[in-house]
Amino acid sequence: MSRINKNVILALLTLTSSAFLLFQLYYYKYYLSAKNGAGLSKSKGSRIGFDSTQWHAVKKFIMLTSSQNVPVFLVDPLILEMINKNFEQNKNTSYGTVSDCKFFCVPRDFTAFALQNHLWKNEEGWFQIAEDMGFQCLKIQSKDPRLDGIDSLSGTEIPLHYICKLATHAIHLVVFHERSGNYLWHGHLRLKGHIDRKFVPFRKLQFGRYPGAFDRPDLQHITIDGLEVQIPKDPVHFLEEIPHSRFIECRYKEARAFFQQYLDDNTVEAMVFRKSAKELLQLAAKTLKKLGVRFWLSSGTCLGWYRQCNIIPYSKDVDLGIFIQDYKSDIITAFQDAGLPLKHKFGKVEDSLELSFQGKDDVKLDIFFFYEETDHMWNGGTQAKTGKKFKYLFPKFTLCWTEFVDMKVHVPCETIDYIEANYGKTWKIPVKTWDWKHSPPNVQPNGIWPISEWDEVIQLY
């Protein structure tokens, strides 16, 4: 009897243990996996998705920033592109199910987030807590370029980038700073001598190869792969900005040296002109932005920015450049509606188009349209009395952002080549007498308009 009781007891214990094990397996599969995001691959039965190194690194980073009220938002181009492609199919704000991690689990070295520095209240405390949570963090900082024009404050350092690595995946936190003109700027991720180049594959970073400028984005909350994050409300616009975001600072040091050699004109007339020119430039920028037309600082206005970080007081006008492919037929009407009457129109859309509008206080706005050839670009000029055409040749260039008179505006990235083409090697020396038909080193004759076409190409002069 004793032997039978022992077998029964052993069987009951075995049955109980098996039942408990089955319960644990059931609990893990239907509760913990749903809660923590673990999933099974549909292809080979191997674990994918929420078990990935990338997802766990992002999850821990979001937990960290949420607990410390760090207002981060997702700027990773790859993920934003995937979200945008999936948006029309999903038609909701939840991306990724509990059994399929589509976004944060894509194998790669980095996931990029950003924050607006003026909204960040506890930087040092956050940095320490990140390391306590297991992150290895690298802080990149440099002098604040917004203070370069102020001798007593230049050299003040600000945070630019954080790289926080967990296991084999890293979070790149881009720090955006407010700039005059209501836009955001991030700095260059420049590695200093003591930094370990092998810490992460820096060359694969999407942000920081050069300083960048972006419109201030509106943000929205969404859920991606079970994680709540903020993203730009218009991800398409943000993605379009990234490849064209390169920013060039005004050269304050060189401008100070210029004014030590050539005294600045602070007469009442010069101050009035600069004020009027600034207002005219801001109005022109607002008008062209409404039209969706790109423009850049050209001729004397570009020279003033590059040489002395200001408007040249004796230039008497504001000069802008526009690619002819960006021309819109309602551009004249738009400027007239903005209160800028057309002063003259030279040339035609297909050849040497130039527009001039009259601002207040006798300040003129000149818009030069640029045409692209195989190995160069050019804009045209027309002599009203004779119908002679002139062509101004420039090496090919791309556009970068800069800050000028409290605005975010475009300038040629290859600035020195652009200026030397227009003003020669002696561009640093002020020249107050300038003949547009002969003084520029890049000018050449371009024929003459037939008399039968004069009425069409020369108006309101």
Side-chain angles (χ1 to χ4, degrees):
M1 185 69 179
S2 176
R3 182 179 180 85
I4 295 175
N5 289 339
K6 287 181 179 180
N7 290 335
V8 172
I9 292 172
L10 182 60
L12 289 173
L13 289 174
T14 302
L15 182 62
T16 303
S17 299
S18 299
F20 182 70
L21 179 61
L22 289 172
F23 174 76
Q24 284 184 312
L25 291 173
Y26 177 86
Y27 180 79
Y28 177 81
K29 180 178 181 180
Y30 292 99
Y31 180 72
L32 287 182
S33 64
K35 183 177 181 181
N36 295 327
L40 298 177
S41 172
K42 297 178 182 178
S43 57
K44 296 183 180 180
S46 60
R47 303 195 67 77
I48 63 163
F50 294 74
D51 277 346
S52 74
T53 302
Q54 298 89 252
W55 184 85
H56 280 291
V58 172
K59 177 185 177 183
K60 205 164 188 178
F61 177 76
I62 292 175
M63 290 173 57
L64 165 66
T65 54
S66 296
S67 65
Q68 298 301 306
N69 295 317
V70 183
V72 301
F73 57 100
L74 185 70
V75 293
D76 193 283
L78 176 62
I79 299 179
L80 290 179
E81 286 174 2
M82 293 171 65
I83 290 173
N84 186 57
K85 289 178 181 178
N86 281 268
F87 179 77
E88 290 301 321
Q89 299 174 4
N90 294 329
K91 293 294 184 181
N92 57 49
T93 58
S94 181
Y95 299 84
T97 67
V98 295
S99 61
D100 188 10
C101 182
K102 296 181 179 179
F103 303 94
F104 288 130
C105 299
V106 177
R108 62 191 193 283
D109 297 296
F110 295 95
T111 300
F113 286 83
L115 62 80
Q116 298 182 43
N117 187 66
H118 66 285
L119 301 176
W120 197 6
K121 306 300 181 184
N122 186 29
E123 177 207 343
E124 294 303 327
W126 173 89
F127 191 73
Q128 183 60 53
I129 294 172
E131 293 187 332
D132 292 341
M133 292 180 65
F135 285 101
Q136 293 176 275
C137 289
L138 175 66
K139 177 181 179 181
I140 306 294
Q141 60 184 22
S142 187
K143 66 177 184 178
D144 190 341
R146 298 169 297 181
L147 303 177
D148 278 354
I150 308 174
D151 289 330
S152 60
L153 295 178
S154 62
T156 302
E157 293 202 333
I158 54 175
L160 300 179
H161 298 266
Y162 284 93
I163 308 292
C164 290
K165 184 171 67 172
L166 186 67
T168 59
H169 192 69
I171 305 296
H172 180 196
L173 181 58
V174 185
V175 183
F176 282 108
H177 296 267
E178 287 188 306
R179 299 286 298 243
S180 299
N182 193 34
Y183 69 97
L184 301 179
W185 167 91
H186 72 74
H188 182 197
L189 199 160
R190 183 177 286 110
L191 297 179
K192 298 182 180 179
H194 67 280
I195 294 176
D196 181 8
R197 262 63 174 177
K198 297 181 181 179
F199 180 65
V200 291
F202 289 101
R203 291 184 178 180
K204 294 183 180 181
L205 290 173
Q206 296 287 337
F207 299 88
R209 297 175 188 172
Y210 41 74
F214 290 80
D215 293 338
R216 187 190 303 273
D218 293 326
L219 302 176
Q220 62 175 330
H221 287 271
I222 66 172
T223 300
I224 308 175
D225 295 335
L227 302 176
E228 291 188 7
V229 298
Q230 288 196 103
I231 68 169
K233 188 173 291 185
D234 187 352
V236 174
H237 177 68
F238 188 85
L239 287 167
E240 289 173 346
E241 287 186 285
I242 293 175
H244 309 291
S245 62
R246 187 170 183 174
F247 185 93
I248 302 175
E249 289 290 349
C250 178
R251 308 179 323 141
Y252 290 105
K253 181 179 179 181
E254 289 79 2
R256 285 193 290 268
F258 175 82
F259 286 122
Q260 288 177 355
Q261 185 173 3
Y262 306 100
L263 294 179
D264 194 8
D265 187 350
N266 291 317
T267 62
V268 174
E269 292 80 5
M271 294 174 66
V272 169
F273 170 74
R274 280 179 170 149
K275 180 177 181 296
S276 298
K278 176 181 177 180
E279 293 173 353
L280 179 59
L281 178 56
Q282 291 175 335
L283 179 58
K286 183 178 179 180
T287 304
L288 291 172
K289 185 175 182 179
K290 286 182 179 179
L291 290 172
V293 174
R294 293 177 300 169
F295 73 93
W296 65 92
L297 306 182
S298 190
S299 303
T301 306
C302 183
L303 176 63
W305 162 76
Y306 191 74
R307 187 176 67 187
Q308 54 212 69
C309 297
N310 209 334
I311 295 170
I312 299 175
Y314 54 82
S315 61
K316 302 305 178 185
D317 57 18
V318 171
D319 302 311
L320 303 181
I322 294 177
F323 294 122
I324 194 62
Q325 60 265 31
D326 292 332
Y327 170 81
K328 292 191 176 180
S329 59
D330 55 347
I331 190 171
I332 294 177
T333 303
F335 275 103
Q336 290 175 330
D337 291 343
L340 300 175
L342 182 68
K343 183 176 177 63
H344 68 239
K345 173 185 175 183
F346 292 153
K348 298 184 291 185
V349 173
E350 59 270 23
D351 183 7
S352 307
L353 182 64
E354 175 189 349
L355 301 177
S356 183
F357 298 91
Q358 185 63 60
K360 69 176 185 178
D361 299 325
D362 205 31
V363 181
K364 186 162 56 76
L365 172 68
D366 289 332
I367 299 180
F368 305 102
F369 288 86
F370 279 64
Y371 301 77
E372 183 173 359
E373 303 290 349
T374 303
D375 58 351
H376 67 277
M377 294 183 180
W378 63 276
N379 73 279
T382 300
Q383 187 176 26
K385 294 181 180 179
T386 63
K388 287 183 179 180
K389 296 192 292 181
F390 297 87
K391 180 182 286 188
Y392 302 85
L393 306 182
F394 293 84
K396 287 193 172 184
F397 57 89
T398 54
L399 298 181
C400 287
W401 292 110
T402 193
E403 185 173 305
F404 187 60
V405 295
D406 300 325
M407 292 174 54
K408 183 184 77 164
V409 293
H410 276 128
V411 292
C413 299
E414 301 77 11
T415 318
I416 188 65
D417 295 334
Y418 189 88
I419 288 177
E420 286 187 354
N422 216 177
Y423 296 99
K425 298 288 185 179
T426 59
W427 58 268
K428 293 182 180 180
I429 302 173
V431 177
K432 296 187 177 182
T433 302
W434 189 259
D435 183 351
W436 63 270
K437 300 182 294 299
H438 303 100
S439 297
N442 63 337
V443 65
Q444 67 178 39
N446 190 31
I448 188 169
W449 289 106
I451 295 178
S452 60
E453 296 184 24
W454 273 21
D455 289 341
E456 179 182 354
V457 302
I458 304 175
Q459 300 177 12
L460 303 179
Y461 186 78

